[in-house]
Amino acid sequence: MTREQWLEAAAQRLNDLFADHGATIPTKLRLSCGWPSTKGLAKRNRRIGECWHEQCSADATTEIFISPAISERLNVLEPLAHELVHAAVGTQHGHKGPFKRLARAIGLEGKLTATLAGPILRERLNSIAETLGAYPHAILDRSQRKKQGTRLHKVQCPMCGYTVRVTDKWIEQGLPICPCGVEMQQSV
């Protein structure tokens, strides 16, 4: 099972819960693991899910993305439920009115921009997780990615202190000569 199939199966298992509260999850729905358009890598207030209205999609499909920064089943199902509420009521409502009513009705608690499953919803999500098995995804950890350093290296005159920045290519050719006539040295 792929991540997308796992997410689709989870959404199908939530259909009844939404129907119990008079809401319908769109049938033209695409679920995927992917970075949200903003704040997907933020240290604070990181987005872990995002719903795009059908009008944004060339084939009129509601699109939901779950962040690749999470992989624990409940941590995936909570934002999925949150984003499905957006899909059901329409993204134009933000986290107000119809969104708030449906989110609370299905059992999402806490700040509406960062909801968590309440006890009853958590029990249901855990049951779905047990049925589906492991979420077929491994966390993408940006902290393990090597940060690119500067491409320019500081070189300085040991006599007058004149400073410039030079690329590796030109340092390999030889260090520049300062306007005062002394060969410059690379700073470390």
Side-chain angles (χ1 to χ4, degrees):
M1 183 181 295
T2 66
R3 295 178 295 205
E4 287 73 17
Q5 291 168 330
W6 194 95
L7 292 167
E8 287 169 9
Q12 287 173 354
R13 285 171 173 76
L14 288 169
N15 265 327
D16 292 344
L17 176 62
F18 280 73
D20 290 347
H21 298 286
T24 305
I25 295 172
T27 53
K28 281 192 80 176
L29 180 66
R30 193 172 290 125
L31 299 154
S32 186
C33 177
W35 297 110
S37 62
T38 60
K39 294 191 174 188
L41 299 171
K43 290 189 189 289
R44 293 178 350 130
N45 300 323
R46 178 180 294 175
R47 279 193 186 176
I48 56 173
E50 191 166 76
C51 180
W52 286 73
H53 191 273
E54 64 190 23
Q55 293 170 335
C56 298
S57 175
D59 65 354
T61 302
T62 302
E63 308 257 358
I64 292 177
F65 297 95
I66 302 298
S67 173
I70 56 176
S71 68
E72 196 278 314
R73 295 180 302 186
L74 186 61
N75 291 345
V76 170
L77 290 171
E78 285 176 324
L80 176 61
H82 177 108
E83 300 308 329
L84 287 170
V85 173
H86 281 300
V89 302
T91 57
Q92 71 274 19
H93 300 292
H95 294 101
K96 297 182 169 110
F99 175 87
K100 179 180 180 178
R101 286 189 290 279
L102 183 56
R104 297 298 186 223
I106 68 164
L108 290 170
E109 296 180 349
K111 187 177 174 187
L112 288 171
T113 56
T115 57
L116 298 172
I120 295 170
L121 179 58
R122 184 176 299 113
E123 188 176 313
R124 186 174 199 142
L125 295 179
N126 279 325
S127 174
I128 290 170
E130 289 300 317
T131 302
L132 294 177
Y135 179 52
H137 171 73
I139 291 175
L140 288 179
D141 183 3
R142 185 168 189 211
S143 68
Q144 300 304 312
R145 206 169 129 190
K146 185 180 179 219
K147 183 179 176 185
Q148 178 179 330
T150 181
R151 292 184 178 141
L152 297 175
H153 302 282
K154 184 177 176 182
V155 292
Q156 191 170 23
C157 176
M159 295 297 288
C160 70
Y162 181 76
T163 304
V164 295
R165 296 198 179 266
V166 183
T167 64
D168 283 332
K169 174 183 174 181
W170 296 113
I171 289 174
E172 289 171 11
Q173 297 293 319
L175 289 169
I177 303 297
C178 177
C180 75
V182 176
E183 184 178 293
M184 301 178 85
Q185 295 178 350
Q186 188 173 352
S187 299
V188 180

